[in-house]
Amino acid sequence: MTPRAVADGLVCDIRVDSRDVEVRLEVAAGETVALLGPNGAGKSTVLGAVAGLVTPTAGGVTVAGRALAGTPPHRRRVALLAQEPLLFPHLSALDNVAFGPRSGGASRRDARAVARTWLDQVGVAELADRRPSQLSGGQAQRVAVARAVAAEPEVLLLDEPMAALDVDVAPAIRQVLRTVLADRTVVIVTHDVLDALLLADRVVVLDGGRIVEQGPTREVLSSPRSAFAARIAGLNLVPGVWDGGAVTHPDAVVTGLAADPAPVAGEDAVAVFSPSAVAVHRDAGSGSPRTSLVALVTDVEPMGDRVRVRTRVGEIPIAADVTPSAVADLDLAPGARVHLAVKAVEVAVHAARRS
């Protein structure tokens, strides 16, 4: 990310005392960043500050070098696409999309021409004359996407854009977004790993109102340093202190192999491993160098031809993927005490945080 690219993009450097949020988020021009984090982490506060809906206690927002302090939402050249389409009910799809260009000074004819182009781009040109009440959820969200980009915003904010859609509709909308987001400056808030993988160049993880992890999308989701990134990536994560051979936590000691660059002995680190690497037994076993943990089963969840067994080792959640026959043979059910085994070669150890 070059300094010029950042200067031409978005910088949100804010502190909001009432929500205990202190964040510096940089998005380069033409970059899409996925903002991840648990509920209450501060994601909506960041979007609100960029959109002009939240006033920071300190700091501010710049877009393409323009400081936005005191600029009302409709003059920021920032578009916010929410979970619900929020289309104007009294306007047709065409006039909903034309609203942005028209507000920017375009003639009615030119604004409608732009709107028709974008309705075609998102695959609903034939619905131009319909009102929102005549559209399905997926159709309405396509129109909302067209309306957002037709206004030619310098920054596009997406707040869980697929959350309100049926599962069979979301993939098509995701594909639409992949097309229209290209070369735009975008921040997308999502809890869906596919949104991050398919749409975002980079991931930023918020927790407790602070950035706890950030980096290229595939790198973060394949070797997470934060509990939330591990959970959304479907991986197990045990935090602790690296002693050169294992990560030690008050509830667990996990043996693993240090990733490159290796964490420093005596400093905070995280052990990351897949649920498929976890073996479940009723009794403690032995064998190659591995971690053995006593756990309490909290849930048993069918997942196609496998079963996700969720457990807790003290306060640490650990998931294991096993066969249906193993569930029956081991009589696995919530409340059962089990032994988990993970080979050291299956565990990657990383420094606790990525700056």
Side-chain angles (χ1 to χ4, degrees):
M1 192 188 309
T2 66
R4 176 165 179 80
V6 173
D8 290 341
L10 165 69
V11 178
C12 176
D13 189 359
I14 60 166
R15 192 183 83 238
V16 182
D17 290 346
S18 62
R19 304 186 185 185
D20 191 24
V21 171
E22 188 169 353
V23 166
R24 180 179 175 86
L25 173 68
E26 298 180 354
V27 184
E31 181 184 35
T32 295
V33 169
L35 199 57
L36 310 180
N39 292 335
K43 305 183 299 297
S44 295
T45 298
V46 172
L47 289 194
V50 177
L53 307 176
V54 172
T55 302
T57 306
V61 177
T62 62
V63 172
R66 294 183 297 112
L68 299 187
T71 305
H74 65 282
R75 295 193 180 279
R76 291 191 164 215
R77 299 203 65 188
V78 172
L80 174 61
L81 179 63
Q83 295 179 19
E84 300 294 340
L86 302 177
L87 300 174
F88 300 120
H90 61 291
L91 297 180
S92 67
L94 181 68
D95 287 332
N96 262 281
V97 179
F99 181 83
R102 194 85 171 92
S103 299
S107 68
R108 186 169 185 267
R109 179 179 177 177
D110 288 346
R112 283 189 151 203
V114 169
R116 289 188 190 281
T117 297
W118 279 112
L119 286 174
D120 183 57
Q121 286 284 317
V122 302
V124 289
E126 74 281 5
L127 305 178
D129 295 330
R130 294 192 187 181
R131 292 195 176 187
S133 61
Q134 299 171 302
L135 302 174
S136 68
Q139 291 168 343
Q141 195 68 324
R142 286 173 184 259
V143 174
V145 170
R147 184 178 65 175
V149 296
E152 292 296 329
E154 291 182 317
V155 174
L156 182 58
L157 308 176
L158 309 179
D159 188 2
E160 296 278 6
M162 264 73 76
L165 299 176
D166 294 337
V167 293
D168 58 339
V169 174
I173 300 299
R174 193 177 285 115
Q175 188 58 46
V176 166
L177 289 173
R178 288 189 72 181
T179 300
V180 302
L181 299 187
D183 300 322
R184 295 180 181 274
T185 305
V186 181
V187 180
I188 176 170
V189 168
T190 182
H191 283 87
D192 191 320
V193 66
L194 278 178
D195 292 347
L197 283 170
L198 297 179
L199 301 177
D201 304 301
R202 194 160 53 90
V203 163
V204 174
V205 183
L206 284 182
D207 199 0
R210 307 294 186 273
I211 293 176
V212 297
E213 180 172 12
Q214 58 182 310
T217 302
R218 290 188 180 276
E219 183 180 336
V220 169
L221 295 178
S222 63
S223 55
R225 269 72 159 177
S226 65
F228 185 85
R231 187 161 68 251
I232 198 172
L235 299 172
N236 292 307
L237 181 145
V238 176
V241 176
W242 176 240
D243 67 6
V247 173
T248 301
H249 181 278
D251 293 328
V253 177
V254 178
T255 302
L257 304 180
D260 184 22
V264 177
E267 294 191 348
D268 290 344
V270 292
V272 181
F273 49 98
S274 169
S276 63
V278 182
V280 182
H281 308 279
R282 274 299 194 171
D283 301 308
S286 60
S288 58
R290 62 181 178 173
T291 296
S292 182
L293 304 168
V294 179
L296 177 70
V297 176
T298 59
D299 193 20
V300 178
E301 176 187 350
M303 299 179 63
D305 62 349
R306 306 289 287 179
V307 177
R308 175 69 52 88
V309 179
R310 300 190 185 278
T311 75
R312 296 197 79 83
V313 177
E315 294 301 314
I316 302 172
I318 295 181
D321 288 345
V322 303
T323 63
S325 60
V327 173
D329 293 344
L330 297 173
D331 192 21
L332 299 179
R337 293 278 178 182
V338 295
H339 292 263
L340 308 179
V342 189
K343 293 181 179 179
V345 294
E346 300 283 357
V347 179
V349 178
H350 306 272
R353 290 191 178 187
R354 179 187 289 110
S355 60

